[in-house]
Every structure is written in structure tokens, then in C-alpha cells.
Amino acid sequence: MGQFAPRMSTIGFLGLGAIGAPMARHLPAHGFDLIVWNRTRERADQLASTVRARVARTPAEAAREADVVITCLPTSREVEGLLDGPDGLLAGLRSGATLVDCTSGDPATSRRIATRLGERGIAFVDAPVSGGKRGAEEGSLTVMCGGDAAVVERVRPVLAAFGKSIVHCGDVGAGDMVKAVNQALLAIHIWATGEGLATLAKAGVDARTALEVINASSGRSNTSMNLFPERVLSRAFPRTFRLALLDKDLRIAAEMSRAAGVPSPLTQLASELFRAARVELGEEADHVEAVRVIERSAGVEIGA
Ligand code: NDP
């Protein structure tokens, strides 16, 4: 950072959900003053009872003193929805401040938000994260950034509080785009691993043995190495990342490919499958529970 670079001591954090809360918790320990806002206030109060943080009554109040405001909401639509009105972010954000959106957002909305903020001298970075709840708790997330390179460098120390790998992917929207493709790969791995193991289970092959082989072979993935042993074979299916949010990510990925004119049958199909799984399993189901849909159709439980 240059000698005259703006200081970044106060951070406003909005959206203390499954991933936002463990991310925000790291900031005070890294020397930042933290002001939090959450739609359901109890979650903000709960965080402030365990780490050094002030609770704001409105998004505007969370932004007023902040050098950097971080948002982590379900979709870009909710982020855009927080901008306006007397209590909105735009009423509080100062010229020279930066809005870092850690939502897994859609690139078109991120560009629209960036343009509106830019008119007021406020910078914008889309900065989706990967690594899950555990990565957030450990402070080891991957953060994929879209925006001006100098702005990304300026906010890097803030992102380093919860991120281990912080990568500048390109202009505004580039972080969202890389994240959407990552999520499409995750979904395809989950579905394909579920189909394969359901087939093997039905044929009488032990799922644990099959995974042991696959994980020492070329078909392995994070899904086969971590998600299936920890969540499917154990039948634990912890709720850490909602299937509804993965469905949202897949819609972004499918739309991106269509808009780019790239033939993308796998991504489009994954989007359809996860949309149907969301309808079947509901808004609170975890993403790995999509495997239950395969199991039900197959009449078999993997690892049972
Ligand atoms: P959750 O559903 O757990 O939390 C959503 C948060 O957004 C809550 O704080 C909720 O407030 C708030 N919110 C929802 N709607 C509104 C609204 N209209 N106005 C204001 N606030 C609102 O989501 P996650 O924390 O899991 O995910 C957040 C983002 O991070 C998503 O884009 C997701 O795809 C991404 N992500 C999630 C990961 C995970 O492992 N969970 C991993 C990587 C990325 P309230 O408390 O009032 O409901």
C-alpha cells in the first residue's frame, strides 16, 4: 500500500448467515473495528456478544463510519435491495469507501451496482468466497475478486482476515463468473458421484470400498474425498450450504454459458436437476442432500 493510501480500520459487515457470521468474526482479531448489521437483529447481537463489534440498526448506520463495507447475502438482488432509501447503504457510504460484495452474485447485477456506486466515488469489488463454513471458521477461504486491480490490493488486508488465497480475476463481475463455474463443477461432481455410488450400492458393492478406490484413482474430487465420506456415508448431511443457494449459482452459470453462446449441455442439465431437487427437498435442505433425490429414485441408500 502506498504512503497516501486510505486507512482501512473500520469495517461494516452486513449479512451474518451461515458463511457471513464466521467470516465477520475474524475481523476484530485482525485489528479492524467492526460494525455489523443483520436483517434479523438477534444474529448480530449474538455475534457482538462473542467478539468486539458494534451492532448497527440500519445498513446506512453500518456504512457511515466504514472504510470498507462487506455484504454477504443470498443473491445480488438482496444486495441491490439494500442500496436505496433513507436507511440504505447509499445513504451511509462515504465517497472513497469501498463496497466488497462476498455474495456469490450475478455479474450483470454486480456491474449495475458498481456503476451506481462509481457515480458517488465509491469503489466496488465482487468477491465471492469458496471453502465453506469450515474454511470461514479457519480463515482459509479462497476469495475471487472482480474489480479494479488497485482497489483489490487496497482491500486485500481486509479479505486476508478470512481468506488464504485472494485472487484478482478481472473486472467487476469476473469474481462472480469464476464462482458460478466453480459451483457448476461442484454440482456436477455431487450428482455424478451420487449416480455412480447408488449404482454400485444397488449392485452390492460396498460404498466405502468403492470410494476408497475412486479416491486413489482418476475419478476423485473434493466431493468424493470429503463430502461423501463426511456427509453421505455417515448419513449426517449437516446443513452448511443451502441447496437453494447452489440452485441459484447454477442458474447464473447456465445463463452465463447461454449468453456467451457456449454449448453447455452439462451445466444446463445440472441446473435443471438441482432446481427440481430444491422443489423436492425445500429451502432449508443442504446442497449435498441432492443425493437423497437420486437415492429415492434408485430405491437404495449409499453407505447404509
Ligand atoms: P444464509 O441463507 O445462511 O444467510 C443469508 C443471510 O442474508 C442472512 O444473514 C439473512 O438475514 C440475509 N438476508 C436474506 N435476505 C435478505 C434481505 N432481503 N435483506 C437483507 N438481508 C437478507 O446464506 P449463506 O450465509 O450460506 O450464504 C451467503 C452467500 O454466500 C450466498 O450467496 C452463498 O451462495 C454464498 N456462499 C455460501 C457458502 C456456505 O457454505 N454457506 C459458501 C460459499 C459461498 P436473516 O438472518 O435475517 O435471515
Side-chain angles (χ1 to χ4, degrees), residues 223-297:
T223 296
S224 69
M225 295 179 80
N226 295 306
L227 296 182
F228 268 66
E230 291 170 13
R231 296 167 178 235
V232 181
L233 294 192
S234 66
R235 309 308 292 171
F237 290 108
R239 292 187 163 178
T240 61
F241 171 50
R242 293 190 294 121
L243 171 62
L245 294 171
L246 185 53
D247 168 41
K248 169 265 303 181
D249 293 335
L250 282 159
R251 287 177 203 229
I252 297 170
E255 169 55 26
M256 267 166 46
S257 296
R258 272 196 305 271
V262 174
S264 51
L266 270 184
T267 308
Q268 307 299 329
L269 178 59
S271 179
E272 291 295 329
L273 290 167
F274 278 80
R275 186 173 313 178
R278 176 180 179 172
V279 171
E280 185 170 332
L281 300 172
E283 292 300 294
E284 297 308 318
D286 184 71
H287 65 307
V288 180
E289 289 185 78
V291 172
R292 291 191 198 274
V293 174
I294 301 169
E295 291 181 326
R296 279 177 196 168
S297 321

Side-chain angles (χ1 to χ4, degrees), residues 58-282:
T58 63
E61 191 182 313
R64 203 153 286 137
E65 292 172 41
D67 306 291
V68 174
V69 169
I70 300 176
T71 41
C72 192
L73 303 178
T75 76
S76 295
R77 201 166 351 109
E78 282 86 31
V79 179
E80 201 170 31
L82 285 193
L83 293 182
D84 295 304
D87 292 338
L89 279 174
L90 284 172
L93 277 162
R94 296 180 304 199
S95 173
T98 304
L99 176 62
V100 175
D101 184 19
C102 290
T103 305
S104 303
D106 74 86
T109 309
S110 287
R111 287 186 206 109
R112 204 160 56 226
I113 294 172
T115 303
R116 289 196 62 197
L117 296 178
E119 287 160 3
R120 296 169 178 241
I122 302 156
F124 177 85
V125 176
D126 49 299
V129 300
S130 182
K133 200 164 161 249
R134 189 184 295 166
E137 285 163 357
E138 290 170 353
S140 63
L141 292 172
T142 298
V143 191
M144 43 211 105
C145 303
D148 185 85
V151 177
V152 172
E153 284 318 303
R154 208 164 69 211
V155 297
R156 188 179 284 274
V158 181
L159 303 179
F162 47 77
K164 194 162 112 194
S165 172
I166 298 152
V167 183
H168 181 223
C169 300
D171 295 338
V172 169
D176 289 337
M177 293 195 287
V178 174
K179 175 68 180 177
V181 170
N182 180 75
Q183 297 304 90
L185 289 169
L186 167 66
I188 289 167
H189 285 142
I190 290 172
W191 203 275
T193 309
E195 281 183 1
L197 288 182
T199 304
L200 290 170
K202 212 159 178 184
V205 178
D206 177 57
R208 224 165 278 277
T209 306
L211 267 181
E212 206 177 294
V213 173
I214 290 164
N215 287 336
S217 303
S218 47
R220 70 180 178 269
S221 63
N222 178 58
T223 296
S224 69
M225 295 179 80
N226 295 306
L227 296 182
F228 268 66
E230 291 170 13
R231 296 167 178 235
V232 181
L233 294 192
S234 66
R235 309 308 292 171
F237 290 108
R239 292 187 163 178
T240 61
F241 171 50
R242 293 190 294 121
L243 171 62
L245 294 171
L246 185 53
D247 168 41
K248 169 265 303 181
D249 293 335
L250 282 159
R251 287 177 203 229
I252 297 170
E255 169 55 26
M256 267 166 46
S257 296
R258 272 196 305 271
V262 174
S264 51
L266 270 184
T267 308
Q268 307 299 329
L269 178 59
S271 179
E272 291 295 329
L273 290 167
F274 278 80
R275 186 173 313 178
R278 176 180 179 172
V279 171
E280 185 170 332
L281 300 172

